[in-house]
Amino acid sequence: MSMAAAPPTRSSASRSSASRGSSSTTTSTPSGVKGTRTAGPVSSSSPTVQLDSAEFSTGSYVDRLFPDDASLEGVDVAAENLRRRLQAVTQDIRQLLRAQSNDNNKQQQAQDLEATKTAIGELYTRISEMKAKARTSERMVLDITQDIKSLDSAKRNLTHTTTTMKRLQMLIGAVGQLRHLKEQSKYYEASQLMQAIGGLREGFAGFGRVRQIAALNDSADALQRGLAGQAFQEVERGFDSQGMLIGDARVMRDACLCAEASLGVEQRDKFVAFYCDLQLRAYLAIFQLNDDVSQLENISRRYAWLRRILRNYSDDHAAVFPEHWRVGEALSRRFSETTRDQLGEIMATRGNISVEHLMSALSDTLAFEAQCNKKFAIVVKPTDESSQTVYVYEDGGEEAVTFTGAISCAFEPYMSIFIRGEHAKFDEMIRKFQREPLSIDNDPSLSVLASSTDLLYQFRESLRQCASLSTGQPMVDLSQVFSQCLCSYARDVLVHKLPRITSSSTTALDDLKNISLIVNTADYCASVVGQLEQKVVEKVGGEYKDKVSFTACREALLTSINTSIRALVAGVETMCEPAFAALTQVPWQSLQMVGDQSGYVLLISSAMEASTETIRKSMSGSRYFRSYCDKFAARFSERYMAAINTCGQISEVGAEQLLLDAQALKSTLLDMPLMGADRDETGKKPQLPSAYTKIVTQGVGQIEALLKAILAPSDPPDALVDRFLLLFPKTPSETFQQILNIKGVKPADQPTYFRVLQRMLKQTAASSERSSASRSTQLEASKDATQPNSVSNYSTPDLKGAMPSHVAQGISSSAPLASKKSKSRAGEHVRLGSTPGSASVFGSDNQSAPAHRSARMSPTATGVSGGANGAGGMSPDPLGITGGGNGNPLLGAASAHAVQVAFSPNSESMSPGSDDAIGRSSTDAASSPVLASLAANATATRTKINENLRKFMSNMRRN
């Protein structure tokens, strides 16, 4: 209904708006197109009215809109109006549909809620009615069954009373019959009857206050005690004083069953104890404490006696006792307890116990205990949930007590005798190995000494024997013996047998092979120690596991390995001694020219190659071979340095020759780890370790630095000191003294050199402080450059194009500095870009500088460039530290321009006050973009110079 009412409302509004639109203008058509016709005829038949009409005709509607050709000009406007009208009507329909749907949903939900409430009310009413009917039914059932319950209770009480009276009658009769059987000594029938009496008496447990029943119970107890005593006397009379059976075994068995039925386990234990005491009476008489038969060496006789008694029991006495009494097992346990006490007392009173007797007695005891477990079917219960061992009887699964440790526990306090014996045996083996020459101990089929395998085999056997004897404190003590003996073996055998190689030895390579064999042996023992420790921990008891440690012997073995490697290094060094002797005999002071490598280099290379290949083939562990290479490289550098120090004075030509020899030896050292190495699958040799390369480079680098310092001229002193500080920035004055002595500087002139050294060290410290301050200023300037209107905002890639012509001309000029002020500025700015260790090379403070340092500070100046000869008469630089645009890759053509900009006397922006000028340039940038660009480029140029100089100094240190 709402949907039908909506269109007329919308149409009425449209008609009214269309009427207002038609009367508002005289130049619009009904479609809104401007024209010459009036709107009067159209308004009389409004388009809205026709669209809402039920008799709407499309043709008539179009004819009215466009009556002539002139009105067709507004067809687009009319179509657009119709589309907007269509969209508006569609939107109105959607809104009406949504509103109607929401109203319907709300009405449906209200109806559903009312229906639910009504259903709940009906359900509650039905439940209430059901409860009321249930209560009524319950009352009716109770009324019906009340009489039945009373009758049931009466019947139950009557039945119980009748049963009790019958049981009482049976109990009275059984007690009387038991009295009669006791008088006739019929033990079997009495045992059966007593079981029945016990069952009947359980029914009268709650009648203890009844006098007649209490009297009946007392009478039954007295009869049972009397029967138990009578049965015990029967068994006693069945054995004589020697433990032999003289009575009727069947009657005695019945007596045992009667006694157990009367008084239970307590009476059974009494019978068993009587029999065990009777049988062990002879044992105590035979094996007395002071007799020889009772000593440890005769312990096997004790066990033989028990075996005979158990055999006699099985043949004759087993029929007397019930099987479930386990009399044979009880007899063995009493025997074990007695024997344990006797053995403990014997060992406590006996002063000297031999290891052989102790171990033999312990072995027999352990074998006896194992036999007892097997005979009485005592096994370990298989379980994974508990680490504690549980023993059970194999036949029934009942828990049992093992015989293991029943007697052998008496030996544990005296296991120290066994430990001392094993220790003495191992010490004797080690002394034997020490006395034997290395040639006997060397087995060609093994890569280790044969003595190590023999010793470790004895360790294994001793551990196995100790584990079978005890897994407590003795095993911990034995592990300590193992550790001590391995320490002794490493110290007294391995280290003791290290060969001493001399320069005149003809078996040097064989000695190196033997030393490598000792390294292999120590490494093998160290690896086996871990397995040995793990085995001991597995076997020892839980509370002793933390006490097992082989750390001391591991350290001793590793120490022997290090000692052996040092012996290898010393041996190879000894093989090189003839070459070092030849080195010291060369007249280095009078050497005229530099030739090919010296003869001693070939001797050293041959000795190193032969020894290294021998060691690699003999040594099994690659890590120890690498350790040998590292130690030898470090030691060789020290020995080479010492040999150079003993050569006396060395000329510059001699130093150059020694530099050439050092390079050849460095190459040989770098090849040493790869000598004799096998190639991989691709045919390539293994890669050289980087750590080893570093050791060689550092060691030989010290020698090269010394020789390069010797190459520096001694006159003037500043040149030598400059070179020394460049090569040894952190070396004490002892090295400088050494260089002066090698160069032949007279003692009287040496104080002058030391004064120059102290002066330049102070200058270096001051330059370092100024460099730190300069870097701080640069950081502040860079922070300012990031702000608006900063210098960097006006930077330009072309420095010359952005500055005045006279400034650019001054930058391009290569004229020398003309004034002392310019020299001071140039030297100061060089120091600003240098590292602390290189400040004295490139500039000085306001003190007067030598000629070669006060020269022109262009890229071709001495100390920076690579000219043929530096100022002050320096020879061609063999170190490569003076490379400029052509010689130094760090100060090439690209950086030469930057150096000119920084050090030009016309560049006022790089004067000592240039920092302030650059700082002020940010305020002047708005008025002078050229000045701002110049300041920014000057800052960037100075940063590049500092970076190049730092790289240059780093390169010099590496060289």
Side-chain angles (χ1 to χ4, degrees):
M1 295 175 64
S2 60
M3 291 178 63
T9 304
R10 180 66 179 171
S11 300
S12 300
S14 301
R15 285 195 298 270
S16 61
S17 61
S19 299
R20 288 192 301 270
S22 61
S23 61
S24 62
T25 178
T26 60
T27 61
S28 300
T29 64
S31 58
V33 182
K34 294 181 180 181
T36 58
R37 293 178 58 85
T38 62
V42 177
S43 61
S44 64
S45 59
S46 175
T48 304
V49 176
Q50 292 179 5
L51 289 174
D52 295 340
S53 175
E55 299 176 354
F56 174 75
S57 175
T58 306
S60 301
Y61 180 73
V62 173
D63 291 339
R64 289 187 181 91
L65 285 177
F66 308 104
D68 52 19
D69 295 337
S71 62
L72 292 176
E73 295 178 0
V75 65
D76 294 333
V77 177
E80 180 64 26
N81 291 336
L82 289 176
R83 279 195 294 271
R84 285 198 296 269
R85 174 62 178 163
L86 178 61
Q87 292 176 358
V89 171
T90 303
Q91 184 66 23
D92 291 341
I93 292 173
R94 287 176 182 162
Q95 292 178 356
L96 291 173
L97 289 175
R98 289 195 189 98
Q100 185 177 2
S101 176
N102 293 334
D103 294 340
N104 293 336
N105 290 336
K106 292 180 180 178
Q107 184 178 2
Q108 184 64 31
Q109 290 176 359
Q111 293 176 359
D112 294 343
L113 180 61
E114 291 297 331
T116 303
K117 291 181 178 179
T118 303
I120 292 174
E122 293 177 356
L123 180 62
Y124 178 77
T125 303
R126 291 180 182 179
I127 293 173
S128 300
E129 292 175 355
M130 291 175 64
K131 287 184 177 181
K133 292 179 180 180
R135 286 193 292 269
T136 304
S137 300
E138 184 179 2
R139 285 194 297 269
M140 292 175 62
V141 171
L142 289 176
D143 294 339
I144 294 172
T145 59
Q146 184 174 4
D147 296 337
I148 299 175
K149 287 183 178 180
S150 300
L151 293 175
D152 287 342
S153 298
K155 180 181 178 180
R156 187 169 51 255
N157 294 333
L158 181 60
T159 302
H160 181 65
T161 302
T162 305
T163 303
T164 303
M165 294 302 296
K166 289 182 179 180
R167 288 183 177 180
L168 180 59
Q169 183 180 1
M170 293 172 61
L171 179 60
I172 294 172
V175 171
Q177 188 179 359
L178 181 62
R179 186 178 295 107
H180 179 68
L181 293 175
K182 176 178 177 295
E183 295 174 355
Q184 296 179 357
S185 300
K186 294 182 179 181
Y187 300 108
Y188 181 76
E189 293 79 359
S191 63
Q192 299 294 328
L193 187 59
M194 278 191 290
Q195 294 179 1
I197 291 175
L200 293 173
R201 293 179 65 179
E202 291 178 359
F204 296 95
F207 296 88
R209 296 182 180 181
V210 179
R211 184 179 58 187
Q212 290 80 358
I213 294 178
L216 186 61
N217 287 333
D218 294 340
S219 176
D221 291 338
L223 286 174
Q224 289 179 353
R225 287 193 297 270
L227 271 172
Q230 185 175 340
F232 184 74
Q233 293 175 0
E234 186 70 29
V235 173
E236 281 184 329
R237 290 192 299 267
F239 293 98
D240 60 6
S241 60
Q242 301 299 325
M244 301 301 294
L245 182 63
I246 58 176
D248 188 352
R250 185 181 61 82
V251 175
M252 296 172 64
R253 183 183 182 87
D254 295 341
C256 292
L257 293 174
C258 181
E260 183 181 16
S262 61
L263 298 180
V265 179
E266 180 182 356
Q267 193 68 16
R268 181 185 66 186
D269 293 342
K270 180 180 179 182
F271 277 65
V272 174
F274 159 75
Y275 179 76
C276 293
D277 294 339
L278 181 64
Q279 298 298 325
L280 292 177
R281 190 181 302 168
Y283 173 73
L284 295 175
I286 295 173
F287 296 95
Q288 297 183 2
L289 294 178
N290 297 326
D291 293 345
D292 294 338
V293 72
S294 302
Q295 302 306 315
L296 291 179
E297 54 270 22
N298 296 321
I299 195 171
S300 59
R301 296 186 178 182
R302 296 174 180 266
Y303 304 138
W305 180 90
L306 181 62
R307 293 188 187 97
R308 181 175 58 83
I309 294 298
L310 291 176
R311 188 167 52 252
N312 185 33
Y313 168 80
S314 299
D315 296 340
D316 301 333
H317 301 170
V320 175
F321 303 98
E323 294 180 359
H324 66 275
W325 281 20
R326 303 183 186 275
V327 177
E329 180 182 348
L331 178 61
S332 300
R333 294 193 183 280
R334 287 291 301 273
F335 169 83
S336 299
E337 295 173 0
T338 303
T339 304
R340 179 191 61 200
D341 297 340
Q342 286 190 352
L343 291 178
E345 189 173 353
I346 290 172
M347 287 186 289
T349 57
R350 187 173 179 177
N352 186 14
I353 302 176
S354 64
V355 179
E356 292 78 7
H357 293 163
L358 179 66
M359 299 312 301
S360 176
L362 187 53
S363 299
D364 293 342
T365 302
L366 293 173
F368 168 76
E369 292 174 351
Q371 291 174 1
C372 288
N373 285 333
K374 183 177 180 181
K375 180 178 179 61
F376 302 113
I378 299 175
V379 296
V380 179
K381 181 180 181 181
T383 178
D384 297 333
E385 299 178 357
S386 177
S387 59
Q388 185 178 3
T389 304
V390 179
Y391 293 90
V392 295
Y393 292 107
E394 189 175 9
D395 51 359
E398 183 183 356
E399 188 172 353
V401 179
T402 181
F403 279 88
T404 303
I407 303 176
S408 58
C409 63
F411 292 89
E412 190 160 344
Y414 306 95
M415 284 295 292
S416 58
I417 300 174
F418 165 73
I419 303 299
R420 288 196 298 269
E422 294 297 298
H423 199 173
K425 180 177 69 175
F426 298 148
D427 287 342
E428 181 60 30
M429 291 180 64
I430 293 173
R431 286 192 293 269
K432 176 185 174 183
F433 297 151
Q434 187 179 10
R435 291 191 301 267
E436 291 177 352
L438 191 60
S439 58
I440 297 178
D441 201 359
N442 186 1
D443 188 351
S445 62
L446 301 175
S447 60
V448 297
L449 297 179
S451 58
S452 63
T453 58
D454 295 341
L455 182 63
L456 292 174
Y457 173 77
Q458 292 298 326
F459 282 178
R460 185 181 67 180
E461 293 299 316
S462 179
L463 178 63
R464 181 184 59 80
Q465 187 176 9
C466 183
S468 63
L469 302 177
S470 174
T471 57
Q473 183 62 37
M475 183 167 287
V476 177
D477 298 338
L478 183 63
S479 67
Q480 295 175 357
V481 170
F482 291 161
S483 180
Q484 295 173 8
C485 291
L486 283 174
C487 292
S488 301
Y489 180 76
R491 180 182 61 254
D492 300 335
V493 177
L494 299 181
V495 177
H496 178 74
K497 287 188 176 183
L498 288 174
R500 300 295 186 267
I501 303 176
T502 60
S503 57
S504 60
S505 177
T506 58
T507 60
L509 294 179
D510 293 336
D511 291 340
L512 293 178
K513 187 182 299 184
N514 291 332
I515 296 175
S516 301
L517 193 65
I518 291 175
V519 173
N520 296 341
T521 303
D523 182 39
Y524 166 71
C525 293
S527 62
V528 173
V529 162
Q531 303 174 9
L532 181 62
E533 182 177 11
Q534 183 179 3
K535 202 70 175 177
V536 173
V537 171
E538 290 177 358
K539 292 182 177 296
V540 77
E543 66 273 16
Y544 299 101
K545 292 183 183 295
D546 295 337
K547 298 181 180 180
V548 179
S549 176
F550 285 82
T551 304
C553 67
R554 283 198 191 91
E555 294 177 354
L557 291 169
L558 293 178
T559 301
S560 65
I561 291 175
N562 293 331
T563 304
S564 302
I565 293 176
R566 288 196 296 269
L568 286 174
V569 173
V572 179
E573 180 185 352
T574 303
M575 294 174 62
C576 297
E577 283 301 324
F580 289 124
L583 167 65
T584 58
Q585 294 175 4
V586 177
W588 301 106
Q589 176 65 23
S590 59
L591 199 64
Q592 299 299 325
M593 60 180 297
V594 178
D596 199 358
Q597 62 185 20
S598 304
Y600 74 90
V601 176
L602 181 60
L603 295 177
I604 292 177
S605 300
S606 301
M608 289 172 57
E609 184 174 358
S611 60
T612 302
E613 291 181 355
T614 300
I615 293 171
R616 177 183 285 277
K617 293 178 181 178
S618 304
M619 192 175 293
S620 59
S622 59
R623 64 180 183 275
Y624 297 122
F625 178 76
R626 291 197 299 268
S627 177
Y628 153 73
C629 293
D630 294 344
K631 293 182 183 298
F632 177 78
R635 177 55 190 163
F636 178 82
S637 301
E638 296 175 359
R639 182 65 184 89
Y640 193 20
M641 177 71 79
I644 292 175
N645 291 334
T646 57
C647 290
Q649 297 182 7
I650 300 175
S651 64
E652 295 180 5
V653 178
E656 291 182 6
Q657 180 64 49
L658 286 173
L659 268 176
L660 180 63
D661 297 341
Q663 289 294 331
L665 291 176
K666 179 180 179 181
S667 178
T668 303
L669 281 174
L670 291 175
D671 291 339
M672 188 174 70
L674 307 180
M675 294 178 181
D678 297 332
R679 299 181 182 272
D680 56 11
E681 298 177 355
T682 60
K684 297 181 181 179
K685 284 192 175 182
Q687 221 173 10
L688 193 66
S690 58
Y692 176 77
T693 304
K694 183 178 180 181
I695 293 174
V696 174
T697 303
Q698 290 180 351
V700 181
Q702 293 292 328
I703 300 173
E704 292 177 342
L706 177 67
L707 296 174
K708 290 176 183 179
I710 296 173
L711 281 173
S714 57
D715 188 20
D718 296 53
L720 179 60
V721 174
D722 278 345
R723 181 70 59 82
F724 173 75
L725 290 178
L726 177 64
L727 297 170
F728 300 95
K730 297 181 181 180
T731 303
S733 59
E734 288 79 2
T735 304
F736 188 62
Q737 177 72 48
Q738 176 186 356
I739 294 173
L740 293 178
N741 293 335
I742 293 177
K743 288 185 66 64
V745 178
K746 297 179 181 180
D749 297 336
Q750 291 183 5
T752 303
Y753 290 86
F754 278 102
R755 285 194 295 270
V756 174
L757 177 63
Q758 295 297 328
R759 173 171 55 83
M760 290 189 176
L761 288 175
K762 293 179 180 179
Q763 293 173 3
T764 301
S767 177
S768 176
E769 295 178 357
R770 286 193 296 273
S771 178
S772 300
S774 176
R775 283 195 295 270
S776 301
T777 305
Q778 291 177 10
L779 291 175
E780 294 177 359
S782 64
K783 293 180 180 179
D784 295 337
T786 59
Q787 302 298 328
N789 299 326
S790 64
V791 176
S792 61
N793 294 333
Y794 299 94
S795 62
T796 175
D798 187 3
L799 179 61
K800 293 183 179 180
M803 60 181 63
S805 59
H806 70 279
V807 177
Q809 183 179 3
I811 292 176
S812 302
S813 175
S814 60
L817 303 178
S819 63
K820 184 175 181 181
K821 178 179 179 181
S822 300
K823 296 178 185 178
S824 176
R825 290 179 179 177
E828 182 173 356
H829 285 291
V830 172
R831 288 194 303 273
L832 290 175
S834 61
T835 58
S838 61
S840 61
V841 179
F842 298 100
S844 62
D845 289 333
N846 294 328
Q847 300 176 4
S848 60
H852 77 283
R853 302 180 63 230
S854 62
R856 178 177 173 225
M857 294 303 294
S858 66
T860 58
T862 301
V864 179
S865 68
N869 293 303
M874 290 181 64
S875 61
D877 190 359
L879 304 180
I881 65 171
T882 60
N886 299 323
N888 192 346
L890 296 177
L891 292 176
S895 60
H897 176 71
V899 175
Q900 288 178 353
V901 172
F903 300 153
S904 175
N906 298 325
S907 180
E908 292 298 326
S909 62
M910 296 303 292
S911 62
S914 60
D915 291 337
D916 296 335
I918 295 174
R920 292 192 303 270
S921 64
S922 61
T923 59
D924 300 336
S927 60
S928 179
V930 174
L931 181 60
S933 177
L934 174 63
N937 282 278
T939 303
T941 302
R942 184 173 60 180
T943 303
K944 292 180 180 178
I945 293 172
N946 293 338
E947 182 180 358
N948 289 334
L949 290 176
R950 282 194 295 271
K951 292 181 179 179
F952 171 72
M953 292 306 303
S954 176
N955 187 29
M956 295 315 305
R957 290 194 184 92
R958 287 197 298 270
N959 293 334

